[in-house]
């Protein structure tokens, strides 16, 4: 019998969430017992004390897709753990991109490396000059500005536009144009967008690409969440556009988020442009040795043989979005989140400003014993927000919202 998750009462917000008498968690791919999750070595389950329910970092409470598990187990069993060889990964990824997105990938221009952010760092180091301005759109994944600064470049924020009436975020084309016109020649695009969950449309991306063309901007597209797009929305790879900036763009992909294999270390960098490929060819050879043999095998099995599992995951995430939207409306109405704007990823960007708290992240953690990501990780202006990871069982979601309600009661 699985260990259940039991919400703490408002009077005992630090009660442990495991007991031994309730039924197994439901939720298909998310039916991993809480007691098993608690034994995981990953940062999601190790960062906080055992009485804190963790819905923060972008890992999922799933077991591996069967083909990935079989591939990895076989390799470990047979001791096939030497230096990595790209093997069939370029072909498997190119087939996936063609099948799923209609995107043509030149496997001769696919570079394999340890992870997405290392790719961004090296592209900035070799493709730009010290002090160059790199445009980002906050709220955005926290390591974006950190990596720009690590590379010795300047962070230029062109914030997303937020429609206060609908709660929807959009690319602010005026802000982007101002940033490009001011001479900032690189745009670090998050497509789809973490944390707001928008899946940028072809029209939105084309309008932005036109601006990038006009000002000669190099686009670095982080498309790690590309497989995690929810129907009826469809993913538009930036490099699939007609624009010159799309042809020149460098794009980064990985199976890490959609198949939960981030710890195995493997990502893919590609471009349609010989000139941009010239930047990649300058990378120090160690960068090309940074992925692991298990990461390459996992990415190959994910893109090549685990699309059905991905579709099952997307179905379970759709259920979770409905559930989370309802729970928040009923139990914590001061929190604003529109499930219909959550078009991609498994990350919910919760607007907690209506609760009137100084620090919602700290309140939920300290009083509710539930851990999210603080909004300030995505930009200084977002202290009134938290990011919730809903790639977990319905039981954990119910408990998390119960803890939020208890924290603000
Ligand atoms: C937009 C985005 N880029 C990059 C990453 C991290 O990828 P990696 O671990 O491959 O650097 C994440 C992780 O959540 C992410 O959301």
């Amino acid at each position: 019998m699985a260990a259940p998750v039991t919400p703490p009462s408002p009077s005992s917000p630090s009660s442990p969430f495991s007991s031994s008498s309730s039924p197994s968690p439901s939720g298909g791919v998310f039916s991993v017992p809480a007691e098993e999750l608690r034994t995981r070595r990953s940062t999601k389950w190790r960062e906080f004390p055992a009485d804190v329910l963790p819905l923060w970092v972008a890992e999922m409470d799933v077991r591996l897709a069967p083909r990935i598990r079989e591939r990895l187990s076989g390799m470990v069993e047979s001791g096939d753990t030497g230096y990595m060889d790209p093997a069939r990964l370029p072909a498997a990824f190119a087939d996936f991109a063609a099948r799923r997105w209609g995107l043509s990938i030149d496997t001769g221009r696919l570079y394999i490396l340890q992870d997405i952010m290392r790719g961004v760092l090296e592209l900035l180091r070799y493709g730009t000059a010290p002090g160059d301005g790199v445009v980002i759109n906050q709220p955005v994944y926290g390591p974006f500005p950190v990596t720009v600064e690590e590379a010795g470049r300047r962070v230029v924020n062109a914030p997303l536009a937020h429609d206060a009436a609908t709660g929807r975020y959009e690319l602010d084309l005026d802000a982007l144009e101002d940033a490009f016109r001011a001479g900032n020649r690189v745009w670090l695009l998050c497509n789809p967008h973490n944390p707001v969950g928008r899946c940028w449309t072809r029209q939105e991306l084309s309008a932005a690409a036109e601006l990038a063309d006009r000002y000669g901007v190099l686009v670095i597209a982080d498309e790690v969440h590309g497989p995690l797009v929810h129907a009826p929305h469809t993913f538009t790879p930036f490099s699939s556009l007609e624009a010159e900036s799309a042809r020149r763009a460098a794009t980064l992909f990985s199976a890490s988020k959609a198949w939960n294999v981030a710890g195995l270390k493997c990502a893919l960098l590609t471009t349609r442009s010989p000139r941009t490929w010239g930047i990649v060819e300058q990378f120090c050879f160690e960068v090309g040795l940074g992925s692991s043999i298990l990461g390459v095998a996992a990415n190959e099995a994910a893109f090549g043989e685990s699309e059905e599992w991905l579709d099952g995951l997307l179905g379970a995430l759709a259920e979770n979005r409905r559930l989370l939207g309802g729970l928040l409306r009923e139990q914590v109405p001061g929190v604003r989140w529109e499930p219909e704007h959550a078009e991609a990823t498994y990350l919910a960007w919760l607007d907690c400003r209506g609760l009137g708290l100084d620090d919602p992240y700290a309140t939920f953690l300290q009083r509710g014993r539930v851990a999210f990501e603080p909004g300030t990780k995505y930009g200084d202006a977002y202290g009134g927000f938290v990011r919730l990871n809903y790639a977990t069982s319905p039981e954990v979601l119910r408990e998390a919202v119960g803890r939020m309600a208890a924290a603000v009661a």
Side-chain angles (χ1 to χ4, degrees):
M1 176 69 71
V5 283
T6 329
S9 69
S11 57
S12 60
S14 62
S15 59
F17 79 94
S18 294
S19 72
S20 55
S21 56
S22 330
S24 301
S26 55
V29 292
F30 297 121
S31 57
V32 184
E35 66 199 356
E36 183 182 316
L37 293 169
R38 280 287 178 211
T39 65
R40 289 197 164 176
R41 298 177 57 98
S42 69
T43 185
K44 180 177 186 189
W45 289 94
R46 292 289 170 111
E47 176 72 12
F48 294 97
D51 67 310
V52 171
L53 193 60
L55 288 85
W56 61 291
V57 72
E59 285 179 35
M60 299 192 283
D61 293 344
V62 294
R63 296 208 180 97
L64 287 175
R67 294 283 95 74
I68 301 177
R69 188 183 64 234
E70 285 157 21
R71 185 76 60 90
L72 297 176
S73 317
M75 291 171 70
V76 171
E77 281 295 318
S78 68
D80 185 5
T81 50
Y83 294 111
M84 79 89 182
D85 179 89
R88 276 198 31 78
L89 174 57
F93 177 68
D95 288 351
F96 175 88
R99 213 171 41 237
R100 192 125 182 136
W101 304 323
L103 179 66
S104 168
I105 298 272
D106 176 353
T107 52
R109 291 207 197 107
L110 253 186
Y111 184 88
I112 298 174
L113 75 172
Q114 70 189 56
D115 55 37
I116 302 282
M117 294 316 296
R118 184 64 191 264
V120 172
L121 180 67
E122 300 302 333
L123 284 163
L124 292 177
R125 277 187 178 147
Y126 288 91
T128 65
D132 275 358
V134 179
V135 180
I136 62 169
N137 311 108
Q138 288 182 327
V140 78
Y141 183 55
F144 274 26
V146 173
T147 302
V148 170
E149 278 166 7
E150 171 77 19
R153 309 312 186 235
R154 221 169 8 92
V155 176
V156 178
N157 183 27
L160 297 179
H162 184 226
D163 184 327
T166 64
R168 184 177 159 91
Y169 285 88
E170 289 179 4
L171 289 171
D172 184 333
L173 295 176
D174 292 337
L176 264 185
E177 178 157 18
D178 286 348
F180 295 166
R181 192 190 297 111
N184 304 298
R185 292 283 176 264
V186 183
W187 179 28
L188 182 48
L189 165 68
C190 194
N191 176 41
H193 193 94
N194 169 11
V196 306
R198 278 294 321 281
C199 170
W200 308 122
T201 63
R202 180 164 289 274
Q203 288 74 7
E204 287 173 297
L205 289 174
S206 297
E210 214 171 277
L211 295 176
D213 282 4
R214 192 174 310 155
Y215 296 97
V217 168
L218 172 67
V219 179
I220 300 176
D222 173 346
E223 302 194 341
V224 70
H225 293 284
L228 290 165
V229 169
H230 311 302
H233 305 281
T234 51
F235 174 54
T236 303
F238 185 78
S239 64
S240 69
L241 304 175
E242 295 296 321
E244 171 58 20
S245 54
R247 212 184 52 76
R248 241 188 103 198
T251 306
L252 288 139
F253 297 100
S254 175
S256 58
K257 296 292 122 185
W259 287 271
N260 211 41
V261 291
L264 296 175
K265 290 294 171 196
C266 177
L268 300 117
L269 196 180
T270 187
T271 179
R272 291 163 58 197
S273 151
R275 183 163 140 215
T276 306
W277 187 246
I279 299 172
V280 178
E281 284 180 323
Q282 292 171 50
F283 289 3
C284 158
F285 80 99
E286 279 292 338
V287 179
L289 300 178
S291 60
S292 82
I293 192 168
L294 295 176
V296 169
N299 272 251
E300 186 185 302
F303 290 120
E305 302 171 53
S306 305
E307 218 170 321
E308 209 178 304
W309 185 91
L310 174 65
D311 290 332
L313 171 74
L314 293 172
L317 290 173
E319 293 293 317
N320 278 2
R321 270 194 309 286
R322 269 192 289 278
L323 175 67
L324 180 61
L327 291 170
L328 289 170
R329 263 194 314 278
E330 283 159 25
Q331 297 182 40
V332 208
V335 169
R336 180 158 188 213
W337 180 64
E338 286 80 13
E340 66 274 18
H341 299 328
E343 301 166 349
T345 81
Y346 40 77
L347 307 164
W349 181 238
L350 307 185
D351 183 347
C352 304
R353 290 174 297 179
L355 295 172
L357 301 168
D358 281 345
D359 185 347
Y361 165 78
T363 302
F364 292 135
L365 179 59
Q366 287 158 14
R367 299 191 54 206
R369 310 304 288 168
V370 56
F372 304 126
E373 290 278 24
T376 48
K377 248 194 175 168
Y378 305 86
D380 292 341
Y382 302 97
F385 293 73
V386 298
R387 192 194 74 173
L388 178 156
N389 174 350
Y390 62 85
T392 188
S393 68
E395 283 74 8
V396 168
L397 281 182
R398 282 195 194 93
E399 174 164 359
V401 177
R403 288 184 182 212
M404 291 172 79
V408 299

